[in-house]
Amino acid sequence: MADPVHRRGFLKRGAATAAVISVAGCSDPSQSPPVRTILGEVENLTRRAQRLFAGGHALAPEFTKADIAPVFRANGTLNPGTNDYAIAAAEGFKNWRIKVGGLVEKPLDLGLTDLKAFPPRTQITRHDCVEGWSCIGQWTGAPLSLILAAARPKSTARYVVFHCADPMGEDGFDAAGNLVPAPHYYESLDLLEATHPQTILAYDLNGAPLPVQNGAPVRLRAERQLGYKMPKYIQTIELMEDFSRIGGGKGGYWEDQGYTWYGGI
Amino acid sequence: MSSTGEALGKFDEWIGMVRARLGLRPREPKETYPFYRHTIPVRVLHWINAICMVMMLLTGLQIFNAHPALYWGKSADFDHPILSMTAQGTAEHYWGVTQIGPWTFNTDGVFGVSDTDGVKTVRGFPEWATFPGPSPNLAIGRLWHFFIAWILVLNGLAYFAWVFWSGHFRKELLPTKQNLKDLPHEIVTHAQLKFPKGEAAKHYNGLQRLTYFVAIFVFGPLIVLTGLTMSPTMDSAFPILLWVFGGRQSARTIHFILAFSFLGFFIVHMLALLLSHPINGLRSMITGRFAIEKDDAHG
């Protein structure tokens, strides 16, 4: 499709427009606080209803090699574009570390070889973008449940928050002239979805190391969720009791722009 | 009350004009008696449903605009969509095109490229066909769509419970063998805009039964199920959905086709109302009372 405008820029523009509208106090009823509260409660209702049927362990459908798309569509950040990332990529990510911390008994600091030492899981699954399209690929990675088991979450831990290497947008300055760095992509899952058997930290796509545009060296796969729930370029995994003090407080970069935290529909 | 009467009078006048334009005979006022046609549950559920269906279409198109293309199968073959609404041209000079299968149409101003607040914008469906409107905000469109979906489904389940429990389904909605036999004849009389009168107007005719039956009991559940098939979590709970609809992208396409089938139903529903007994029909869905013309009634 020779469409110059939609695809990815769409989401960012949409978010920007929403921000402009909320500042302008437009008459859109979606912006009024009681309406937002009701719409938010509906998200909880949908999550509970879907969990009633899918539970903790219903598996997302898996496909055959014949179903794999020739090129796995890349979306969102295609390259974090920072100096640190460029150096890491040039080194073949041999010095990339993923730290696991927060509410855990035993914090971890994992390199790619450490990650590959966990018994890997390979799955051919369908990636569903919130925009409406789907793409099928084969992912290999370390089950997140094993990594969490190694880190031993404390009993107060409820969410797994992923901090990523890709800045969203540009650094800027506030009214007082202070530097405001661009927020980085982040996401969160609850422990039920994080310990699902198909939730993996993927390092291979279609039998080869993850390409940069698909999140090299490590991205999350949470196969019962939409694409924005599966962050790329993962650097830190933090177990938390609640995520309200991170970013915009909604549990993820897109959630802060108005998308639902529950991404199962 | 009098202003309502005035408005209805004006409306009746306008209907008369439309009928004259269409070359139809003016309707002569005849002596009538009231017939209690629609029960309270049916009327209440009808109007809730009507509002929900309109909102579902508008918010659905808002969501569709995030990726205005349809595919068939398990995943998206981006180079071969069944339908797409895109922009062609250069950054300075571009226009909207709609592609359906092998055909491409210039749909500038409506599909692909249309005005948003006076600015030529690349978007699938135009602003007026979407809710909440100007901003191409997928997040808010989804919030509304799933909120109204809950009301629509609960309302639909209440309606199903009522029509089965009250016997309305068997008596008025389930097409009979005789209905199916009469169908060709009824299609002809409907096309001639001759509508049932007297005693016959007290019950749904075969064409109505068949249309309502298919819309409510076939398309209704299908549009809900195809919607749920797009949810990755529901696919993990009920993988059979993918088998039934031939994959997530097929389900999305069927969902879209059903939405426009409902739009077609709505247009025919409105035409049938306007061309038969507009005020009478509308009133019967508000107060329940439908005026039956006396001289046509058999006993």
Side-chain angles (χ1 to χ4, degrees):
Chain A
M1 292 199 306
D3 185 335
V5 183
H6 81 253
R7 306 208 168 161
R8 189 56 187 185
F10 174 84
L11 284 173
K12 282 191 185 174
R13 278 200 316 283
T17 316
V20 168
I21 286 174
S22 55
V23 167
C26 179
S27 61
D28 178 358
S30 336
Q31 305 301 332
S32 89
V35 172
R36 290 311 282 249
T37 307
I38 293 168
L39 295 177
E41 284 308 313
V42 170
E43 177 193 346
N44 288 331
L45 179 65
T46 304
R47 176 175 50 81
R48 282 162 204 263
Q50 293 212 334
R51 290 262 172 94
L52 192 67
F53 294 114
H57 293 284
L59 293 178
E62 296 194 12
F63 299 84
T64 65
K65 280 205 158 32
D67 298 317
I68 294 174
V71 177
F72 193 86
R73 184 166 172 124
N75 206 6
T77 307
L78 302 181
N79 188 328
T82 61
N83 283 339
D84 287 349
Y85 185 82
I87 292 165
E91 294 172 344
F93 300 107
K94 69 176 164 49
N95 293 319
W96 191 270
R97 308 301 294 182
I98 295 179
K99 291 191 167 69
V100 183
L103 296 174
V104 295
E105 303 288 350
K106 186 175 177 296
L108 306 175
D109 184 355
L110 306 167
L112 279 186
T113 40
D114 303 323
L115 209 56
K116 288 177 181 174
F118 288 95
R121 183 186 161 93
T122 295
Q123 56 205 25
I124 301 174
T125 49
R126 194 189 66 214
H127 180 96
D128 297 330
C129 180
V130 66
E131 294 170 3
W133 51 267
S134 314
C135 199
I136 294 174
Q138 176 188 289
W139 306 93
T140 302
L144 185 59
S145 58
L146 299 182
I147 295 163
L148 293 180
R152 297 206 304 273
K154 292 182 180 168
S155 60
T156 46
R158 290 186 60 204
Y159 297 100
V160 183
V161 180
F162 305 88
H163 301 273
C164 306
D166 49 332
M168 304 300 284
E170 309 275 321
D171 294 350
F173 292 93
D174 65 14
N178 301 313
L179 177 71
V180 181
H184 280 230
Y185 200 93
Y186 77 104
E187 252 307 334
S188 59
L189 296 179
D190 58 14
L191 283 176
L192 181 112
E193 213 62 47
T195 54
H196 183 265
Q198 287 168 317
T199 301
I200 61 174
L201 291 182
Y203 39 75
D204 281 358
L205 168 60
N206 299 335
L210 211 52
V212 166
Q213 60 172 7
N214 300 111
V218 175
R219 76 168 301 170
L220 183 74
R221 296 299 308 168
E223 304 293 358
R224 307 192 300 181
Q225 299 281 306
L226 295 173
Y228 68 89
K229 296 297 290 184
M230 301 182 227
K232 311 197 274 194
Y233 319 107
I234 293 174
Q235 284 185 309
T236 312
I237 298 173
E238 186 180 8
L239 280 94
M240 308 189 81
E241 192 171 356
D242 82 301
F243 44 64
S244 59
R245 277 181 304 170
I246 297 193
K250 300 285 169 57
Y253 175 78
W254 288 113
E255 286 85 334
D256 291 339
Q257 322 296 327
Y259 285 80
T260 52
W261 178 82
Y262 179 67
I265 184 167
Chain B
M1 194 60 205
S2 67
S3 66
T4 313
E6 255 171 51
L8 284 177
K10 280 242 172 75
F11 185 61
D12 209 26
E13 225 170 77
W14 180 75
I15 293 298
M17 261 168 51
V18 172
R19 288 182 68 88
R21 280 276 169 85
L22 289 169
L24 297 171
R25 274 181 297 115
R27 281 179 301 135
E28 295 141 26
K30 285 179 180 166
E31 210 184 329
T32 61
Y33 66 94
F35 168 66
Y36 189 61
R37 195 193 215 187
H38 297 298
T39 55
I40 287 180
V42 167
R43 279 179 273 145
V44 170
L45 298 171
H46 168 273
W47 288 112
I48 295 175
N49 183 69
I51 295 166
C52 286
M53 290 297 274
V54 171
M55 291 297 291
M56 286 306 273
L57 181 63
L58 297 177
T59 56
L61 295 180
Q62 176 103 11
I63 294 171
F64 176 82
N65 273 0
H67 187 78
L70 296 172
Y71 311 92
W72 196 258
K74 300 167 192 169
S75 57
D77 182 355
F78 296 103
D79 295 330
H80 303 98
I82 292 174
L83 174 146
S84 69
M85 296 172 180
T86 54
Q88 273 184 7
T90 62
E92 289 78 35
H93 180 60
Y94 54 93
W95 58 93
V97 292
T98 301
Q99 165 260 326
I100 303 173
W103 300 286
T104 302
F105 309 93
N106 184 327
T107 50
D108 194 40
V110 188
F111 306 127
V113 174
S114 53
D115 276 6
T116 303
D117 293 336
V119 182
K120 211 173 160 186
T121 311
V122 177
R123 56 187 293 151
F125 282 89
E127 181 189 340
W128 54 260
T130 59
F131 181 85
S135 88
N137 195 313
L138 170 60
I140 291 173
R142 281 165 49 83
L143 288 175
W144 281 104
H145 199 69
F146 300 148
F147 168 44
I148 300 156
W150 272 104
I151 301 174
L152 181 75
V153 167
L154 294 176
N155 188 68
L157 290 175
Y159 175 83
F160 281 19
W162 168 255
V163 296
F164 287 120
W165 180 77
S166 68
H168 183 61
F169 175 75
R170 193 175 41 78
K171 280 183 279 183
E172 288 286 353
L173 293 167
L174 187 67
T176 61
K177 273 190 185 156
Q178 190 60 41
N179 287 149
L180 296 176
K181 271 188 201 159
D182 294 344
L183 207 56
H185 172 71
E186 280 186 354
I187 291 171
V188 171
T189 55
H190 270 73
Q192 293 167 335
L193 300 176
K194 289 182 196 156
F195 296 102
K197 288 180 179 169
E199 200 62 20
K202 289 185 179 177
H203 302 283
Y204 289 145
N205 57 64
L207 203 56
Q208 279 176 306
R209 281 185 183 224
L210 201 68
T211 312
Y212 289 143
F213 181 82
V214 170
I216 298 167
F217 299 100
V218 180
F219 285 14
L222 280 180
I223 204 162
V224 173
L225 290 175
T226 49
L228 289 173
T229 307
M230 283 186 258
S231 149
T233 297
M234 291 316 271
D235 287 348
S236 74
F238 305 105
I240 192 173
L241 288 170
L242 293 167
W243 180 80
V244 170
F245 296 115
R248 181 180 192 246
Q249 290 303 314
S250 299
R252 183 167 176 264
T253 298
I254 298 169
H255 193 72
F256 183 91
I257 292 169
L258 288 169
F260 278 84
S261 303
F262 275 114
L263 180 63
F265 171 89
F266 174 72
I267 291 168
V268 172
H269 192 57
M270 289 299 101
L271 282 177
L273 176 72
L274 290 176
L275 296 173
S276 59
H277 338 266
I279 301 216
N280 205 5
L282 191 61
R283 185 182 49 212
S284 75
M285 200 37 98
I286 298 170
T287 67
R289 306 255 183 266
F290 188 79
I292 303 281
E293 290 173 1
K294 231 173 202 170
D295 47 356
D296 287 319
H298 316 286

